[in-house]
Amino acid sequence: CNTTTGSKVGQCVTNACANTGHACTANGSDVCCSSKCISGNCCGDNDCTTNPSYGDGYFCRQNTCTRCDNVTGNAYLVDPVSGDDGTATGSGTSGGTATTSCAFRTVTQALQAIGATPPAGTTITIVGRTTGPTNLFTVAPTGDTSPVEALPIALPANVTLKSKTGPVTLTLVNGKGGFVLRGNNANIQPDPAAALTIDGANHVSGAGIVVTADTGTATISNVTIINPGDDGIQLTSGTLRIGGGVHVRGAG
């Protein structure tokens, strides 16, 4: 959409462009790459190193200039407290050193980076805290314009959601469900010491977890679902393995 000033603000326009490596004329938050406007600020590493706002040590990852390392082993990190959906790659490291801002802030952003057809063994690990439950980012504090989780969070085939360090809570909002497991090996398997709680916020939410595994198998373990407005767990197709540490209380 056109975001420049004038009578055509908000109007849908062509994504064609000719100024490769530069901001698109109609939408300054897009960059021109291969004759098309896409979200981001770079097409290649050189666009970052020659940009006075970045320079040496920055790389173009997912069309965004960042100092973060690439993800290895299809293992993505999400830190709801200190992560960054704007410049992170999901690796959680910069130059091989643990860097919280190189983790994503939301599972939603991690899934966007992974894409529609993840390879087998892809993981998303939520980093909790030892000081108490860490809330997934569903409601931004006043003045915080960071993106929030798009509910329900849909895990595709071959993606396992994990956790570490401390417990994690997903507090649902009015009418929205928690997770949808779509396809074979779409799993939720937090660490027992960092279990996941899905809170239906006093029966205002949709279902806690919906499983649509088609002809495949999904697995859930170490998850507590409390007070959802709909079912705690729904199985619509496929096979669901329920492991240890699964509790459902007060389901609507």
Side-chain angles (χ1 to χ4, degrees):
C1 292
N2 191 338
T3 61
T4 59
T5 58
S7 60
K8 294 184 178 180
V9 171
Q11 183 179 26
C12 291
V13 294
T14 175
N15 67 348
C17 57
N19 55 336
T20 297
H22 296 83
C24 289
T25 302
N27 190 332
S29 63
D30 288 348
V31 62
C32 180
C33 298
S34 301
S35 302
K36 290 185 178 181
C37 292
I38 58 176
S39 180
N41 58 17
C42 62
C43 303
D45 293 343
N46 188 61
D47 296 337
C48 302
T49 56
T50 59
N51 188 323
S53 298
Y54 301 103
D56 291 341
Y58 280 85
F59 307 94
C60 186
R61 300 290 183 263
Q62 298 158 16
N63 297 107
T64 299
C65 292
T66 178
R67 288 183 182 272
C68 299
D69 299 332
N70 277 333
V71 167
T72 59
N74 301 308
Y76 295 78
L77 291 181
V78 170
D79 187 329
V81 177
S82 302
D84 189 336
D85 279 359
T87 60
T89 59
S91 66
T93 62
S94 176
T97 301
T99 305
T100 55
S101 61
C102 287
F104 291 125
R105 192 169 194 179
T106 64
V107 177
T108 300
Q109 183 62 31
L111 289 169
Q112 290 180 359
I114 290 169
T117 55
T122 298
T123 61
I124 300 173
T125 302
I126 304 169
V127 182
R129 298 293 188 274
T130 58
T131 53
T134 298
N135 291 311
L136 284 172
F137 203 59
T138 54
V139 179
T142 301
D144 191 333
T145 59
S146 301
V148 298
E149 299 286 2
L151 298 177
I153 300 170
L155 299 182
N158 296 324
V159 174
T160 297
L161 185 71
K162 297 185 175 184
S163 65
K164 67 177 184 178
T165 309
V168 176
T169 298
L170 173 63
T171 301
L172 304 182
V173 296
N174 192 28
K176 297 291 187 179
F179 290 91
V180 178
L181 307 186
R182 293 177 174 164
N184 190 45
N185 287 325
N187 308 315
I188 300 178
Q189 296 180 290
D191 187 280
L196 170 67
T197 297
I198 301 173
D199 188 343
N202 199 24
H203 305 103
V204 302
S205 72
I209 299 174
V210 176
V211 179
T212 57
D214 299 324
T215 59
T217 300
T219 302
I220 300 171
S221 60
N222 301 314
V223 178
T224 296
I225 303 170
I226 56 174
N227 301 326
D230 203 331
D231 295 330
I233 300 171
Q234 292 178 356
L235 174 63
T236 62
S237 65
T239 300
L240 174 62
R241 291 194 181 107
I242 298 180
V246 175
H247 308 275
V248 178
R249 299 197 302 270

